[in-house]
Amino acid sequence: MAALLRGLAAACLPALALAGTFDLSGLSWTLKNANGSIAIPGSVPSQAHLDLLKAGIISEPLLGINDDLQRWIVNDNWTYTADLTPFTSTYAHSPGERALLVFYGLDTIANITLAGHPVAWVNNQFRQYVFDVTELLASPNSGDTNLTVAFESAWYYGLNVTARPDAEYFPNTANITTVDNFEYPGVRQWIRKIDDDFGWDWGPAFVPTGIFKPAYIVTLLDPASLTTAPLGEDLVFLEESSIDISKPISNFTTLTYDETAPWNVNVSLGLRSALPIFRPTITLSIPELNLTSYPIPVQSLPGDTLNPTWVSAEWTVPEGLPQRWYTHDLATGPKLYNMTVSFDFHVLVFPASISFTRATGFRTIRLAQTPYTEEEVAARGITPGDQWHFELNGMAFYSKGTNIIPFDPFYSRITTDQVEWVLRAAALSGQNMLRVWGGGMYQPSSSDVQGGLYSFYSLCDELGILAWSELIFSDSLYPINNFLLENVDPEVRQNVRRVNVHPSNAQWAGGNEIEGIVIQANTSLSNGTHYLNEFVTLFQDYLYGVVTSETTSVPYTDCSTTHGVLSLEPYVLRFLNGTPGYIYGNSERYNYDASQAFNLSTFPVSRFVNEFGFHSMPSFYSWEEVLENPEDFAFNSTVVMSRDHHPPAGNLSFPNPNAPQGQYQMTSGVELWLPTPGTADSNQTFAQWCYSTQIFQSMTMAAQIAWYRRGAGLGENNLGSLVWQLNDIWQGVSWSAVEYSGRWKVLNYELANVYSPVIVSSFWTPDNETLDIMVTSDRWSDVSGTAQLTWYDWTGKELDTMTHEFTVPSLNNSLLMTMTGLENILPNGTQTADVFLLMNLTAEADNQTVTNEQYFTPASLARATLVDPQISMTAGDNYTFTLSAKGGVAPWTWLDHPSGTVGYFVDTASGLPSNGFYLIPGIDRTVQFLLNPTLSKVSEPSPTDFVVRSIWNNTHI
C-alpha cells in the first residue's frame, strides 16, 4: 500500500483521498465519559465540549453562565474510540511495509491504545507525535480493531501531581506570589497545556480536552514489491522541516549581522523510511529568481521508522538578488518567494524524490540589547544604559502593535477567515508587530502545515506584520526536573523548526512575565536563590540552548518583560545588576486608578513598552450574542459581572467575587472623564456604558502611545509600544481592540490614528499648566509638513487658529509649541470646560501624503459644556454615510453597524479607517462601511439599521 504525504501538507488531506495516508477524521468516532453514562458521536479534530454541543448534550459554551454550568465536563475523563476496520480492511500488510500513527495535537493527558495494545501515554498539547504501529496492527489483541485515545481530566491530573510528596513547593502568600492563579489554581505550571485553559482575567476556563488537531495513519511501501518506479512519498515520510534563512554574524558581542554578506539558507528535514536510503541529495530552488542549487549530498537514511533521521543542507544566495522582506509600513513592504525543497534518492534501480514548496522571505531581524556607547550618549542625549529595540535589515525602527491571545477557547473551531480578519484589523490600524503571548498556543504556520487547522504566520508573512513569538510559559515559576525538561525539549524544537521559514517571526522569548516573579521571590524568600537558580537553569541556559541550536535567524530573550542582559555571548541575564539612573530592558504599565490615566509622570520612561492596557466592555451587539434574558442587559447584572474576571477569583468561586473591582475601575474612568450614562431607556443606557468604557480605554491608550512614541527622540530612545491586547477569546470584559465576533472597538480605530506614520500630539501637565504640542515621525527619512491648530467652542464656533510648518528628523519629534498658564493657552475670555483644540497635520512621507487628526480638551469631557449636536446621517450608495452636526460639536461620534455584520468604516476621502471622531458643525464626514461577506451572518444589511451615537447620548435619548 503506497504512502503519500506531500511535504508538510498532510494536515488537511481529505479522508481516504490518498492511498497511503488515511485521515482518521473519516472514521466513526465515539466519545464517552468515565462511567459510560454519556456515549455520543465524536469527531477528529475536535474537543469534548464541541462534540457534546453537536450532540445536544450542552448548549454553546460561550452562552450565558455556561463557563460555570459546564464545569462538570472538566471533572470527568473523556475517551475517543474508533473502529479501524475501514482502514484495516484495505490494509494488505506485507513484511517490509510500515504503518505510522500520526497525531498533530492531543489535548492533553492521554493513553493511546490500538488493536488492544498500548501505544503511548502522552502529556504535552504542544507536541506532535508519530508512532510506528506496524506490529500492533499485524497482531490485534483478541480481535480488537479499535483505536482509543483516553483523556484524563487535566485538572485532576494536576491535583494528583501536586499532591505527590516530591512535588516542589511554590509559595503564594500576602507578600509573595510565585504563580498567578485565575480559576483552576495551582496546577497549570505542571501541565504542558494552554495556560489560559485554566482561566485568565480576560477569558473563561473550560479546560478542554480532545484530539484537537488532525490525525492520520501513514503507510510506507514494502520495497520488496517494487516492480516500477515508486513515488518518493511511497517510501519516505517527511515528518518535519526547517528552513532557516540568515546572514553570518559580524560581531558576536552585539550579535550584529553582516548585512553585505550572502544569505545562508539552512534546510533540515526529519525523515522516516522503511528501508535504507544511500547517497540522497537535496536540491533547493527559487523559481522567481531563476535560482537552483546543485544536488547537495546529505546523510543516508538507516531504514528506521521508530525515530526520524535528520538530514541538512546549506545553500548560499547572493546578497542583492532577492528583494528583502519588510513590514507593510517600511521600505518596499513584504516580499515573499516560493522555495522548493527536493529530497532525491534511488531505490534499487529506480530514481525517487519527495518535494515541497514553502513561501518564505529574506530579512534579518536583530534585538539590540547591548550598552549605548559613550559617543551615542553624548551626541544623541541618550540616557545611559542598554539598548532594547528591534532592527529589521540592519535598521532600527519603531515597533507599533498589540498583543494577541488565543482566538477561541476551543482551538479546533478556529478558522483562517476569523484569524485573517483580526490580523488585517491590526495592519489596517498601522500595527507592524504582534506579540504572541506566552500563555496561549504556539500559533500555526498555516492551515495545511503540520495540522495547523488555520493560518497565522503565513498571514503575517503576507500582511507584513512581525510576530514576536514566545514559548508557552507564563506568570509562574516552574519545577525544574528531568521529567519537565525531557518533555519540553521536543516541544520547543518542533515549534521553532516549523516557524523558522517565516520572515515575520521576530524573536523567541522564553515566557511571559516570569523574570519579575523570580526577582521578587529571590529578594523576598529566605530560599529565594533556589527559585532564581531554577529560573536561570530553564530560561537562561536550557531554553536558550534549545532555541539557538535550531535557529540562527532570530534572537532569544528569557522573558517578555526583562531587565536585559549582561552579555549576549555567553548569554547572561542582568536581573537587578545595574547602575542607578541607567535604563535597561523593557517595561509594562497597568494603572487602574482612572484619576491617573493621563498623568504623564506615571507613564514609564522606557526603551520599549511591551504591555500596557485598560479593560472595557464589549459592544451591546456582542452582549446580544450571549445574554439570554432582558434583565441581563445592565452594566452590573449578575451575568455581565460574571464575565468580568478582573481581578481574577484565584479559585473556582462563581461569580467572580472580585468583579466589582474591575467594574468600578471602568465606571470610575467613565465618570471622571465622560458624561455618566443615564437615560430613561435602560438598553440605551447599557449600550452607552459599553461604548463609553471603550472611549475611555481608547483615550488612555492613545495618550500612552503618544508618550512612548515621543520617547524615540528623547533620552529613553523608546522604539516600541505594544498595547494589551488585540483580540478577544469570548464576549466579556477585556482589554481588546477587536471583539470576539470581529467587530472593531473604539480602540482599534484610535490605533489607526495614533499609529499613523506621522502624528501630532498634545502633552498637558496640569501641575504647572504647561501644554506641549509635538509632531512625531517613525519614518526613516526627514518628514516635512504643516500642522493646523484650531480652537473651537462646543457650539462649533471657531475661536482661534494657528499654522505651523515643521520638519521632523527620522524616528524623532519636532516641537510645534510650548505654552504655560491657562491664561496664555486658552482663547481670550474662555474657560477650560468651554473649548477644545482641533489638531490637524498634513505631511509628505515616503512619497505619500499623510494626514493626522487629534484633539486636546483642557477639561474633562465630564465637565464640558456640551450642546445637542443634532447629528443627521444620510445614507448613500454602497453603504456610504454622510454625517453632519446641525447643533453643536459631537465628541466621539460613533457609527455602529448592525447585528450579524462584520466590517469596518473608512473615510471616503482618505480611504483610512475612521470612526469615533469629533463631528464639528460645518465639517461633514462621509464614511463607507466595508462588509466582510465571509464572516457576516447578514450579507445585505439595511442602511436604516446603522446607528450613530455620541457622548451626548450618554444622557439624552
Side-chain angles (χ1 to χ4, degrees):
M1 187 179 190
L4 180 58
L5 188 59
R6 295 203 176 275
L8 294 178
C12 288
L13 294 177
L16 301 176
L18 297 168
T21 300
F22 190 95
D23 189 337
L24 296 181
S25 68
L27 297 175
S28 295
W29 289 88
T30 298
L31 173 65
K32 292 183 179 180
N33 66 340
N35 65 11
S37 60
I38 296 175
I40 60 172
S43 54
V44 173
S46 188
Q47 287 155 301
H49 285 78
L50 302 182
D51 288 323
L52 291 166
L53 174 62
K54 291 175 189 174
I57 303 295
I58 63 172
S59 58
E60 164 58 47
L62 298 187
L63 195 65
I65 59 171
N66 278 348
D67 57 319
D68 175 57
L69 299 179
Q70 294 177 4
R71 283 177 174 170
W72 62 270
I73 301 171
V74 180
N75 297 335
D76 213 333
N77 297 330
W78 296 94
T79 298
Y80 282 85
T81 303
D83 184 353
L84 280 173
T85 300
F87 169 74
T88 56
S89 62
T90 60
Y91 173 58
H93 175 69
S94 57
E97 190 171 14
R98 310 303 296 177
L100 304 176
L101 178 60
V102 180
F103 288 107
Y104 283 113
L106 295 169
D107 182 10
T108 293
I109 313 299
N111 273 299
I112 306 167
T113 58
L114 186 147
H117 299 287
V119 176
W121 177 78
V122 297
N123 64 338
N124 192 319
Q125 182 179 8
F126 310 123
R127 290 173 59 178
Q128 65 182 51
Y129 293 97
V130 180
F131 307 105
D132 187 329
V133 293
T134 308
E135 279 71 28
L136 308 186
L137 286 168
S139 57
N141 189 354
S142 302
D144 191 325
T145 59
N146 288 334
L147 171 61
T148 299
V149 184
F151 291 95
E152 180 181 353
S153 164
W155 166 232
Y156 284 160
Y157 168 82
L159 292 177
N160 290 335
V161 170
T162 56
R164 288 172 55 102
D166 58 349
E168 184 170 355
Y169 173 63
F170 294 98
N172 267 10
T173 68
N175 299 320
I176 178 66
T177 298
T178 58
V179 55
D180 285 342
N181 290 314
F182 295 88
E183 289 186 47
Y184 290 88
V187 300
R188 60 184 178 82
Q189 69 270 41
W190 299 90
I191 307 173
R192 299 309 298 149
K193 178 173 172 57
I194 293 173
D195 281 277
D196 66 81
D197 281 354
F198 299 96
W200 219 262
D201 54 2
W202 34 253
F206 288 107
V207 199
T209 191
I211 307 170
F212 77 106
K213 287 186 176 183
Y216 301 90
I217 294 178
V218 175
T219 54
L220 299 177
L221 192 65
D222 176 6
S225 64
L226 286 180
T227 57
T228 60
L231 293 171
E233 293 88 345
D234 298 338
L235 302 167
V236 177
F237 171 49
L238 177 53
E239 182 173 334
E240 291 186 67
S241 74
S242 171
I243 300 175
D244 198 35
I245 301 175
S246 64
K247 284 179 173 281
I249 298 292
S250 62
N251 185 324
F252 282 92
T253 300
T254 61
L255 294 186
T256 303
Y257 293 105
D258 181 353
E259 298 290 343
T260 64
W263 296 95
N264 295 325
V265 180
N266 291 281
V267 175
S268 297
L269 308 178
L271 304 167
R272 299 192 194 216
S273 174
L275 74 163
I277 292 177
F278 302 104
R279 296 181 297 278
T281 61
I282 289 178
T283 302
L284 309 174
S285 64
I286 304 174
E288 299 98 318
L289 297 176
N290 294 316
L291 279 180
T292 300
S293 75
Y294 60 85
I296 305 166
V298 296
Q299 177 183 343
S300 297
L301 303 186
D304 176 16
T305 53
L306 294 178
N307 295 289
T309 297
W310 282 90
V311 299
S312 298
E314 184 172 322
W315 186 32
T316 299
V317 173
E319 162 59 24
L321 186 57
Q323 179 178 311
R324 294 198 181 205
W325 185 95
Y326 287 90
T327 55
H328 67 89
D329 62 330
L330 294 174
T332 52
K335 175 62 178 177
L336 297 174
Y337 295 94
N338 290 309
M339 181 177 294
T340 297
V341 179
S342 179
F343 178 76
D344 305 297
F345 54 97
H346 279 77
V347 179
L348 303 177
V349 296
F350 302 118
S353 69
I354 60 173
S355 65
F356 64 94
T357 299
R358 299 290 305 276
T360 190
F362 292 78
R363 60 88 181 95
T364 63
I365 185 75
R366 173 176 175 261
L367 179 56
Q369 299 182 80
T370 49
Y372 284 100
T373 65
E374 292 182 2
E375 291 77 14
E376 288 176 305
V377 170
R380 298 173 55 192
I382 292 176
T383 304
D386 291 349
Q387 305 172 80
W388 212 99
H389 62 262
F390 291 92
E391 294 177 357
L392 182 60
N393 294 318
M395 296 282 289
F397 69 99
Y398 198 94
S399 299
K400 304 179 292 187
T402 52
N403 294 256
I404 69 159
I405 61 171
F407 297 93
D408 194 281
F410 305 102
Y411 183 99
S412 298
R413 70 177 181 184
I414 301 172
T415 68
T416 295
D417 290 331
Q418 172 190 356
V419 174
E420 181 175 2
W421 176 253
V422 173
L423 298 186
R424 287 192 180 277
L428 287 165
S429 59
Q431 301 177 50
N432 60 24
M433 180 177 285
L434 298 175
R435 176 177 161 241
V436 184
W437 173 68
M441 186 68 184
Y442 293 99
Q443 290 297 328
S445 292
S446 59
S447 59
D448 60 353
V449 170
Q450 290 178 252
L453 281 186
Y454 65 89
S455 298
F456 180 80
Y457 283 100
S458 60
L459 289 173
C460 291
D461 294 343
E462 296 167 13
L463 294 171
I465 301 175
L466 285 164
W468 160 334
S469 303
E470 293 185 1
L471 310 180
I472 309 302
F473 297 89
S474 184
D475 289 293
S476 175
L477 302 185
Y478 284 81
I480 307 304
N481 51 61
N482 289 336
F483 183 74
L484 173 73
L485 299 182
E486 291 169 3
N487 194 8
V488 165
D489 181 277
E491 164 197 323
V492 174
R493 292 188 189 279
Q494 288 174 1
N495 285 286
V496 172
R497 291 167 186 155
R498 173 180 55 81
V499 174
N500 277 342
V501 70
H502 297 288
S504 58
N505 189 32
Q507 73 154 337
W508 283 103
N512 170 64
E513 296 182 322
I514 307 172
E515 186 181 302
I517 293 176
V518 78
I519 288 175
Q520 183 189 29
N522 183 50
T523 56
S524 303
L525 298 173
S526 59
N527 65 337
T529 55
H530 164 77
Y531 297 106
L532 181 64
N533 290 338
E534 286 198 322
F535 179 91
V536 168
T537 296
L538 182 59
F539 294 101
Q540 175 183 286
D541 301 336
Y542 188 78
L543 294 175
Y544 169 82
V546 174
V547 171
T548 56
S549 70
E550 296 292 349
T551 181
T552 60
S553 63
V554 297
Y556 171 90
T557 51
D558 70 301
C559 189
S560 60
T561 308
T562 175
H563 290 79
V565 298
L566 290 172
S567 167
L568 286 171
E569 185 61 39
Y571 186 68
V572 181
L573 297 174
R574 177 177 293 282
F575 295 117
L576 298 181
N577 298 302
T579 302
Y582 283 32
I583 300 176
Y584 303 102
N586 58 5
S587 64
E588 303 179 2
R589 182 189 187 267
Y590 291 102
N591 188 328
Y592 296 110
D593 180 353
S595 69
Q596 302 301 303
F598 308 103
N599 183 346
L600 304 181
S601 68
T602 68
F603 297 171
V605 176
S606 174
R607 309 288 194 209
F608 197 110
V609 186
N610 62 287
E611 281 193 41
F612 57 103
F614 204 98
H615 50 304
S616 68
M617 286 275 185
S619 66
F620 187 91
Y621 297 95
S622 282
W623 284 120
E624 284 186 310
E625 297 168 10
V626 294
L627 299 183
E628 301 176 275
N629 301 299
E631 61 269 22
D632 295 337
F633 288 83
F635 193 86
N636 289 319
S637 72
T638 299
V639 179
V640 167
M641 289 186 66
S642 78
R643 298 171 83 96
D644 185 347
H645 292 187
H646 167 73
N651 53 52
L652 291 172
S653 299
F654 187 90
N656 175 18
N658 297 323
Q661 296 180 49
Q663 298 289 101
Y664 170 75
Q665 291 161 0
M666 288 187 291
T667 55
S668 63
V670 172
E671 292 169 347
L672 282 170
W673 301 103
L674 298 167
T676 300
T679 70
D681 185 316
S682 61
N683 274 352
Q684 176 181 319
T685 298
F686 181 49
Q688 291 297 127
W689 266 111
C690 295
Y691 149 82
S692 295
T693 64
Q694 292 188 18
I695 291 175
F696 173 72
Q697 175 195 35
S698 175
M699 290 167 62
T700 184
M701 290 303 96
Q704 288 186 65
I705 291 170
W707 171 265
Y708 304 139
R709 290 189 64 179
R710 169 182 181 260
L714 301 178
E716 61 264 36
N717 193 30
N718 180 297
L719 290 177
S721 57
L722 306 180
V723 174
W724 186 272
Q725 66 201 62
L726 176 59
N727 61 307
D728 259 335
I729 196 170
W730 73 334
Q731 306 91 333
V733 173
S734 83
W735 290 249
S736 74
V738 179
E739 298 178 12
Y740 176 77
S741 68
R743 183 180 293 268
W744 289 21
K745 284 185 176 179
V746 178
L747 175 58
N748 209 58
Y749 287 100
E750 184 57 33
L751 292 179
N753 199 20
V754 76
Y755 275 152
S756 179
V758 187
I759 60 172
V760 57
S761 305
S762 59
F763 300 94
W764 169 244
T765 306
D767 293 346
N768 59 8
E769 294 187 347
T770 297
L771 175 65
D772 295 324
I773 297 180
M774 289 184 172
V775 173
T776 301
S777 170
D778 61 26
R779 299 298 83 195
W780 279 341
S781 58
D782 292 357
V783 172
S784 297
T786 302
Q788 188 80 19
L789 311 178
T790 305
W791 286 99
Y792 289 91
D793 67 17
W794 293 111
T795 69
K797 179 182 179 181
E798 181 179 318
L799 303 176
D800 194 10
T801 189
M802 300 161 281
T803 301
H804 296 264
E805 305 292 330
F806 63 83
T807 297
V808 189
S810 171
L811 290 169
N812 215 316
N813 306 297
S814 177
L815 180 65
L816 297 184
M817 58 171 282
T818 183
M819 300 182 71
T820 301
L822 285 171
E823 68 279 7
N824 300 314
I825 296 171
L826 300 179
N828 291 334
T830 63
Q831 302 297 315
T832 57
D834 300 334
V835 294
F836 72 96
L837 181 65
L838 172 67
M839 302 177 289
N840 281 303
L841 170 152
T842 301
E844 294 299 317
D846 301 332
N847 299 316
Q848 294 181 334
T849 299
V850 177
T851 60
N852 191 243
E853 180 172 296
Q854 306 284 350
Y855 318 100
F856 168 66
T857 55
S860 163
L861 288 172
R863 297 196 298 108
T865 55
L866 302 177
V867 297
D868 186 352
Q870 301 176 33
I871 300 174
S872 72
M873 182 171 69
T874 304
D877 295 335
N878 299 318
Y879 298 111
T880 58
F881 301 90
T882 298
L883 304 178
S884 302
K886 305 298 185 182
V889 176
W892 295 101
T893 298
W894 178 255
L895 277 83
D896 270 319
H897 49 89
S899 178
T901 61
V902 176
Y904 67 101
F905 294 94
V906 297
D907 184 276
T908 56
S910 68
L912 298 175
S914 182
N915 206 351
F917 42 75
Y918 279 37
L919 187 62
I920 301 172
I923 306 178
D924 293 351
R925 299 282 190 127
T926 301
V927 297
Q928 182 180 14
F929 179 66
L930 302 180
L931 180 83
N932 182 321
T934 303
L935 296 181
S936 294
K937 298 176 181 177
V938 178
S939 58
E940 296 182 0
S942 169
T944 59
D945 290 334
F946 287 74
V947 175
V948 63
R949 68 179 83 240
S950 75
I951 61 172
W952 177 259
N953 301 109
N954 281 10
T955 53
H956 300 81
I957 295 178

